Short mmCIF file of all heavy atoms in Angstrom, two decimals:
data_model
loop_
_atom_site.label_atom_id
_atom_site.label_comp_id
_atom_site.label_asym_id
_atom_site.label_seq_id
_atom_site.Cartn_x
_atom_site.Cartn_y
_atom_site.Cartn_z
N LYS T 1 107.77 -40.78 57.83
CA LYS T 1 107.98 -39.97 56.57
C LYS T 1 106.93 -38.86 56.51
O LYS T 1 107.34 -37.73 56.28
CB LYS T 1 107.88 -40.83 55.35
CG LYS T 1 108.16 -40.09 54.05
CD LYS T 1 108.07 -41.01 52.77
CE LYS T 1 108.53 -40.21 51.60
NZ LYS T 1 107.79 -38.98 51.31
N ARG T 2 105.71 -39.18 56.81
CA ARG T 2 104.60 -38.19 56.87
C ARG T 2 104.98 -36.97 57.80
O ARG T 2 104.89 -35.81 57.30
CB ARG T 2 103.32 -38.79 57.31
CG ARG T 2 102.09 -37.97 57.37
CD ARG T 2 100.99 -38.77 57.94
NE ARG T 2 99.68 -38.06 58.09
CZ ARG T 2 98.75 -37.98 57.17
NH1 ARG T 2 98.80 -38.57 56.07
NH2 ARG T 2 97.60 -37.35 57.49
N HIS T 3 105.38 -37.25 59.02
CA HIS T 3 105.71 -36.22 59.83
C HIS T 3 107.01 -35.51 59.61
O HIS T 3 107.19 -34.39 59.87
CB HIS T 3 105.63 -36.71 61.31
CG HIS T 3 104.09 -37.01 61.76
ND1 HIS T 3 103.28 -36.02 62.15
CD2 HIS T 3 103.41 -38.17 61.81
CE1 HIS T 3 102.11 -36.56 62.46
NE2 HIS T 3 102.21 -37.81 62.21
N THR T 4 108.00 -36.36 59.16
CA THR T 4 109.24 -35.73 58.89
C THR T 4 109.14 -34.79 57.66
O THR T 4 109.84 -33.71 57.62
CB THR T 4 110.34 -36.75 58.51
OG1 THR T 4 110.42 -37.66 59.76
CG2 THR T 4 111.68 -36.30 58.29
N ASP T 5 108.32 -35.18 56.66
CA ASP T 5 108.13 -34.30 55.50
C ASP T 5 107.63 -32.93 55.92
O ASP T 5 107.98 -31.91 55.54
CB ASP T 5 107.27 -34.94 54.51
CG ASP T 5 107.87 -36.08 53.76
OD1 ASP T 5 109.15 -36.13 53.79
OD2 ASP T 5 107.15 -36.82 53.01
N ALA T 6 106.57 -33.01 56.80
CA ALA T 6 105.97 -31.75 57.32
C ALA T 6 106.91 -30.91 58.20
O ALA T 6 107.00 -29.69 57.97
CB ALA T 6 104.78 -32.12 58.22
N LEU T 7 107.80 -31.64 58.98
CA LEU T 7 108.77 -30.88 59.74
C LEU T 7 109.83 -30.23 58.83
O LEU T 7 110.21 -29.05 59.08
CB LEU T 7 109.48 -31.76 60.79
CG LEU T 7 110.56 -31.22 61.64
CD1 LEU T 7 110.03 -30.03 62.41
CD2 LEU T 7 111.06 -32.32 62.52
N LEU T 8 110.31 -30.97 57.84
CA LEU T 8 111.36 -30.47 57.00
C LEU T 8 110.79 -29.15 56.21
O LEU T 8 111.47 -28.21 56.03
CB LEU T 8 111.83 -31.52 56.02
CG LEU T 8 112.70 -32.52 56.61
CD1 LEU T 8 112.91 -33.68 55.63
CD2 LEU T 8 114.10 -31.85 56.89
N SER T 9 109.53 -29.27 55.82
CA SER T 9 108.90 -28.19 55.07
C SER T 9 108.90 -26.91 56.00
O SER T 9 109.16 -25.80 55.62
CB SER T 9 107.49 -28.52 54.61
OG SER T 9 106.86 -27.46 53.99
N ALA T 10 108.53 -27.16 57.26
CA ALA T 10 108.53 -25.99 58.27
C ALA T 10 109.85 -25.47 58.48
O ALA T 10 110.10 -24.20 58.55
CB ALA T 10 107.83 -26.48 59.52
N LEU T 11 110.91 -26.41 58.61
CA LEU T 11 112.18 -25.93 58.86
C LEU T 11 112.75 -25.13 57.64
O LEU T 11 113.48 -24.16 57.88
CB LEU T 11 113.17 -27.11 59.11
CG LEU T 11 112.93 -27.86 60.43
CD1 LEU T 11 113.73 -29.12 60.55
CD2 LEU T 11 113.17 -26.98 61.64
N ARG T 12 112.45 -25.68 56.43
CA ARG T 12 112.89 -24.88 55.32
C ARG T 12 112.36 -23.45 55.24
O ARG T 12 112.93 -22.50 54.88
CB ARG T 12 112.62 -25.64 53.98
CG ARG T 12 113.43 -26.84 53.81
CD ARG T 12 113.17 -27.56 52.44
NE ARG T 12 113.84 -28.83 52.31
CZ ARG T 12 113.03 -29.96 52.36
NH1 ARG T 12 111.78 -29.91 52.61
NH2 ARG T 12 113.63 -31.09 52.27
N ALA T 13 111.04 -23.35 55.61
CA ALA T 13 110.38 -22.12 55.60
C ALA T 13 111.03 -21.14 56.56
O ALA T 13 111.23 -19.91 56.29
CB ALA T 13 108.90 -22.25 55.89
N ALA T 14 111.48 -21.63 57.73
CA ALA T 14 112.15 -20.82 58.79
C ALA T 14 113.51 -20.42 58.26
O ALA T 14 113.97 -19.17 58.33
CB ALA T 14 112.30 -21.57 60.01
N LEU T 15 114.19 -21.30 57.51
CA LEU T 15 115.51 -20.96 57.01
C LEU T 15 115.44 -19.95 55.82
O LEU T 15 116.43 -19.19 55.58
CB LEU T 15 116.20 -22.20 56.52
CG LEU T 15 116.80 -23.17 57.59
CD1 LEU T 15 117.05 -24.58 56.99
CD2 LEU T 15 117.99 -22.63 58.18
N ASP T 16 114.34 -19.99 55.12
CA ASP T 16 114.19 -19.06 53.94
C ASP T 16 113.51 -17.74 54.29
O ASP T 16 113.39 -16.88 53.46
CB ASP T 16 113.32 -19.69 52.83
CG ASP T 16 114.07 -20.87 52.19
OD1 ASP T 16 115.31 -20.83 52.19
OD2 ASP T 16 113.42 -21.83 51.64
N ALA T 17 113.11 -17.55 55.60
CA ALA T 17 112.50 -16.30 55.95
C ALA T 17 113.38 -15.04 55.81
O ALA T 17 114.53 -15.20 56.07
CB ALA T 17 111.99 -16.47 57.37
N PRO T 18 112.76 -14.01 55.33
CA PRO T 18 113.63 -12.81 55.29
C PRO T 18 113.90 -12.12 56.70
O PRO T 18 113.15 -11.48 57.24
CB PRO T 18 112.68 -11.82 54.48
CG PRO T 18 111.29 -12.28 54.76
CD PRO T 18 111.38 -13.78 54.93
N ALA T 19 115.08 -12.50 57.10
CA ALA T 19 115.51 -12.09 58.42
C ALA T 19 117.04 -12.15 58.55
O ALA T 19 117.69 -12.72 57.73
CB ALA T 19 114.88 -12.86 59.53
N GLU T 20 117.69 -11.58 59.61
CA GLU T 20 119.06 -11.64 59.87
C GLU T 20 119.34 -13.13 60.22
O GLU T 20 118.53 -13.85 60.66
CB GLU T 20 119.46 -10.69 61.09
CG GLU T 20 119.27 -9.28 60.73
CD GLU T 20 120.04 -8.83 59.59
OE1 GLU T 20 121.28 -9.28 59.53
OE2 GLU T 20 119.73 -8.05 58.70
N ARG T 21 120.63 -13.52 60.01
CA ARG T 21 121.06 -14.86 60.22
C ARG T 21 120.70 -15.37 61.54
O ARG T 21 120.22 -16.50 61.84
CB ARG T 21 122.60 -14.97 59.88
CG ARG T 21 123.02 -16.44 60.03
CD ARG T 21 124.51 -16.69 59.73
NE ARG T 21 124.89 -16.43 58.39
CZ ARG T 21 126.04 -16.59 57.94
NH1 ARG T 21 127.09 -17.06 58.73
NH2 ARG T 21 126.34 -16.38 56.57
N ARG T 22 121.12 -14.61 62.63
CA ARG T 22 120.80 -15.03 64.05
C ARG T 22 119.29 -15.36 64.21
O ARG T 22 118.98 -16.32 64.82
CB ARG T 22 121.22 -14.01 64.97
CG ARG T 22 120.77 -14.18 66.46
CD ARG T 22 121.57 -15.24 67.14
NE ARG T 22 120.98 -15.58 68.50
CZ ARG T 22 121.77 -15.89 69.58
NH1 ARG T 22 123.04 -15.96 69.40
NH2 ARG T 22 121.13 -16.19 70.75
N GLN T 23 118.49 -14.44 63.71
CA GLN T 23 117.01 -14.67 63.80
C GLN T 23 116.52 -15.90 63.05
O GLN T 23 115.67 -16.67 63.55
CB GLN T 23 116.27 -13.43 63.16
CG GLN T 23 116.39 -12.18 64.00
CD GLN T 23 115.86 -10.99 63.24
OE1 GLN T 23 116.07 -10.67 62.07
NE2 GLN T 23 114.95 -10.23 63.96
N ARG T 24 117.19 -16.25 61.94
CA ARG T 24 116.80 -17.46 61.25
C ARG T 24 117.26 -18.71 61.97
O ARG T 24 116.61 -19.80 61.94
CB ARG T 24 117.31 -17.40 59.82
CG ARG T 24 116.33 -16.72 58.82
CD ARG T 24 116.82 -16.72 57.43
NE ARG T 24 117.91 -15.67 57.25
CZ ARG T 24 118.79 -15.76 56.31
NH1 ARG T 24 118.72 -16.75 55.38
NH2 ARG T 24 119.73 -14.93 56.09
N VAL T 25 118.41 -18.59 62.58
CA VAL T 25 118.96 -19.81 63.44
C VAL T 25 117.95 -19.97 64.60
O VAL T 25 117.57 -21.12 64.83
CB VAL T 25 120.37 -19.49 63.98
CG1 VAL T 25 120.71 -20.49 65.04
CG2 VAL T 25 121.29 -19.43 62.85
N GLU T 26 117.50 -18.90 65.21
CA GLU T 26 116.60 -19.07 66.33
C GLU T 26 115.19 -19.52 65.88
O GLU T 26 114.57 -20.41 66.45
CB GLU T 26 116.43 -17.73 67.07
CG GLU T 26 117.71 -17.29 67.80
CD GLU T 26 117.45 -16.12 68.74
OE1 GLU T 26 116.41 -15.49 68.55
OE2 GLU T 26 118.35 -15.77 69.54
N ALA T 27 114.79 -19.07 64.72
CA ALA T 27 113.54 -19.47 64.14
C ALA T 27 113.46 -20.98 63.75
O ALA T 27 112.47 -21.68 63.99
CB ALA T 27 113.10 -18.65 62.84
N THR T 28 114.65 -21.53 63.26
CA THR T 28 114.70 -22.86 62.87
C THR T 28 114.65 -23.71 64.15
O THR T 28 113.97 -24.77 64.21
CB THR T 28 116.04 -23.13 62.08
OG1 THR T 28 116.03 -22.22 60.97
CG2 THR T 28 116.20 -24.53 61.67
N LEU T 29 115.45 -23.41 65.14
CA LEU T 29 115.37 -24.09 66.46
C LEU T 29 114.04 -24.05 66.98
O LEU T 29 113.49 -25.12 67.45
CB LEU T 29 116.39 -23.48 67.42
CG LEU T 29 117.89 -23.65 67.10
CD1 LEU T 29 118.68 -22.75 67.97
CD2 LEU T 29 118.37 -25.07 67.27
N ASP T 30 113.37 -22.94 66.98
CA ASP T 30 112.09 -22.85 67.54
C ASP T 30 111.03 -23.64 66.82
O ASP T 30 110.14 -24.21 67.38
CB ASP T 30 111.59 -21.33 67.65
CG ASP T 30 110.31 -21.11 68.37
OD1 ASP T 30 110.35 -21.44 69.61
OD2 ASP T 30 109.35 -20.65 67.77
N THR T 31 111.19 -23.68 65.53
CA THR T 31 110.22 -24.51 64.66
C THR T 31 110.29 -25.96 65.01
O THR T 31 109.29 -26.63 65.16
CB THR T 31 110.65 -24.40 63.14
OG1 THR T 31 110.40 -22.96 62.75
CG2 THR T 31 109.71 -25.28 62.32
N TYR T 32 111.51 -26.51 65.33
CA TYR T 32 111.61 -27.91 65.69
C TYR T 32 111.06 -28.11 67.07
O TYR T 32 110.17 -29.02 67.23
CB TYR T 32 113.15 -28.33 65.85
CG TYR T 32 113.32 -29.69 66.34
CD1 TYR T 32 113.14 -30.78 65.48
CD2 TYR T 32 113.56 -29.88 67.67
CE1 TYR T 32 113.35 -32.07 66.07
CE2 TYR T 32 113.79 -31.16 68.17
CZ TYR T 32 113.69 -32.26 67.33
OH TYR T 32 113.74 -33.48 67.88
N LEU T 33 111.34 -27.22 67.97
CA LEU T 33 110.82 -27.38 69.37
C LEU T 33 109.30 -27.16 69.40
O LEU T 33 108.59 -27.92 70.15
CB LEU T 33 111.50 -26.38 70.26
CG LEU T 33 113.03 -26.63 70.56
CD1 LEU T 33 113.66 -25.48 71.27
CD2 LEU T 33 113.21 -27.98 71.35
N ALA T 34 108.83 -26.25 68.61
CA ALA T 34 107.34 -25.98 68.51
C ALA T 34 106.62 -27.25 68.00
O ALA T 34 105.45 -27.59 68.44
CB ALA T 34 107.01 -24.81 67.75
N ALA T 35 107.26 -27.90 67.06
CA ALA T 35 106.67 -29.10 66.49
C ALA T 35 106.44 -30.26 67.47
O ALA T 35 105.43 -30.87 67.53
CB ALA T 35 107.41 -29.51 65.23
N ILE T 36 107.53 -30.46 68.25
CA ILE T 36 107.47 -31.58 69.21
C ILE T 36 106.54 -31.17 70.45
O ILE T 36 105.96 -32.07 71.03
CB ILE T 36 108.86 -32.14 69.70
CG1 ILE T 36 109.50 -31.01 70.54
CG2 ILE T 36 109.62 -32.53 68.43
CD1 ILE T 36 110.87 -31.56 71.17
N GLU T 37 106.49 -29.94 70.69
CA GLU T 37 105.64 -29.39 71.77
C GLU T 37 104.16 -29.45 71.35
O GLU T 37 103.26 -29.84 72.22
CB GLU T 37 105.93 -27.98 72.24
CG GLU T 37 105.13 -27.45 73.28
CD GLU T 37 105.51 -26.08 73.67
OE1 GLU T 37 105.79 -25.30 72.74
OE2 GLU T 37 105.60 -25.70 74.89
N ALA T 38 103.86 -29.24 70.08
CA ALA T 38 102.51 -29.25 69.63
C ALA T 38 101.93 -30.67 69.46
O ALA T 38 100.74 -30.90 69.79
CB ALA T 38 102.48 -28.58 68.24
#
């Protein structure tokens, strides 16, 4: 729960970022991958 809460918060931030839809899709995917890589 601790790590999922942090990941969900980061994913929501990527989805809410002021950008075109394609950029937000890529940012959301990258956020997940960056989290497991880190």
